Amino acid sequence: MRDLVYPPVIGFAKTAFKVLDLKIRLTGTENVPRTGGAVIALNHISYVDFILGGFGAVPSKRLVRFMAKDVLFRNRYSGPLMRGMHHIAVDRSAGTASYREAIRYLNDGEIVGVFPEATISRSFELKEFKSGAVRMAAEAGVPVVPLILWGTQRMLTKDHPRDFSRHRAIAITVGEPITVGTDDDAAEATAHLRTTMAGMLDRTIRDYPEQPAGAWWLPASYGGGAPSPAEAERLDQEELARRAARRK
């Protein structure tokens, strides 16, 4: 597919990173395949994860086609960009079409980016995973590449004001590709992926240069002030209830 929009967007993002003087630490980027299809599975802690997550594939000279909410494609500002970069719109009420589109991309040798948690984690720890990432990889015969982001939640996330202060530390950790066979149980493969990414997240947090006790962006289990996973789930349910009430 022709990419007239994606390269300039990457150039703009790199310029923004320099202006903000982001201290980006890339680890394991050699695990992103230089050719052929692959599913990149990312944790989700921020609204800017699409930008920084895609940056993890740049050293391998690959472009990531993210599966994202269809509302972003309907927006007058983000819509043209999302379509121009050939991302995949996901309508949660009719997900089969986006799933088939992702399979087509993978068969064509593209890299598809998936957030198995589906929504941002308020606890900044891993939520439960959906099985779509491993099912797509198995059907298309491509690997799943786990990728962990850390520090992006300090820039723009749920329940906190945006903060694009300069000199922010960002960590991007890419794990070894995971092969999923067509005969593998999807639930077991998804559990294995989540366990792998949980270990990567733990190492990434512990290696992060800042560990201030009580910080709102640090998980409670690491001495931070973020909601516990149980509390985060309660907040998620309250948010869903408010949305339902607005729709009525």
Side-chain angles (χ1 to χ4, degrees), residues 70-145:
D70 58 348
V71 65
L72 294 174
F73 293 78
R74 297 196 302 268
N75 183 278
R76 61 184 297 186
Y77 301 110
S78 62
L81 290 175
M82 297 296 284
R83 290 188 293 273
M85 290 186 282
H86 304 291
H87 295 314
I88 303 169
V90 177
D91 180 352
R92 290 182 179 173
S93 64
T96 302
S98 58
Y99 180 89
R100 300 315 311 173
E101 183 78 346
I103 294 295
R104 184 176 70 81
Y105 275 36
L106 294 170
N107 287 333
D108 287 344
E110 298 287 343
I111 291 184
V112 174
V114 179
F115 295 96
E117 298 165 282
T119 60
I120 289 175
S121 169
R122 283 181 160 96
S123 71
F124 309 127
E125 298 189 56
L126 297 182
K127 297 162 65 77
E128 291 303 312
F129 278 18
K130 308 293 184 183
S131 63
V134 298
R135 289 190 291 109
M136 285 190 299
E139 183 169 344
V142 301
V144 179
V145 179

Side-chain angles (χ1 to χ4, degrees), residues 87-205:
H87 295 314
I88 303 169
V90 177
D91 180 352
R92 290 182 179 173
S93 64
T96 302
S98 58
Y99 180 89
R100 300 315 311 173
E101 183 78 346
I103 294 295
R104 184 176 70 81
Y105 275 36
L106 294 170
N107 287 333
D108 287 344
E110 298 287 343
I111 291 184
V112 174
V114 179
F115 295 96
E117 298 165 282
T119 60
I120 289 175
S121 169
R122 283 181 160 96
S123 71
F124 309 127
E125 298 189 56
L126 297 182
K127 297 162 65 77
E128 291 303 312
F129 278 18
K130 308 293 184 183
S131 63
V134 298
R135 289 190 291 109
M136 285 190 299
E139 183 169 344
V142 301
V144 179
V145 179
L147 187 151
I148 289 294
L149 295 163
W150 192 248
T152 59
Q153 76 276 27
R154 302 177 66 184
M155 300 171 72
L156 184 61
T157 192
K158 288 185 175 182
D159 307 328
H160 296 277
R162 68 186 66 185
D163 182 0
F164 291 100
S165 300
R166 301 183 72 239
H167 319 304
R168 184 80 74 213
I170 302 293
I172 303 173
T173 305
V174 186
E176 295 182 359
I178 299 171
T179 300
V180 184
T182 54
D183 294 331
D184 292 348
D185 181 85
E188 290 182 3
T190 300
H192 173 65
L193 174 64
R194 187 180 183 280
T195 299
T196 299
M197 292 180 65
M200 292 170 56
L201 177 60
D202 177 68
R203 291 190 295 275
T204 302
I205 293 175

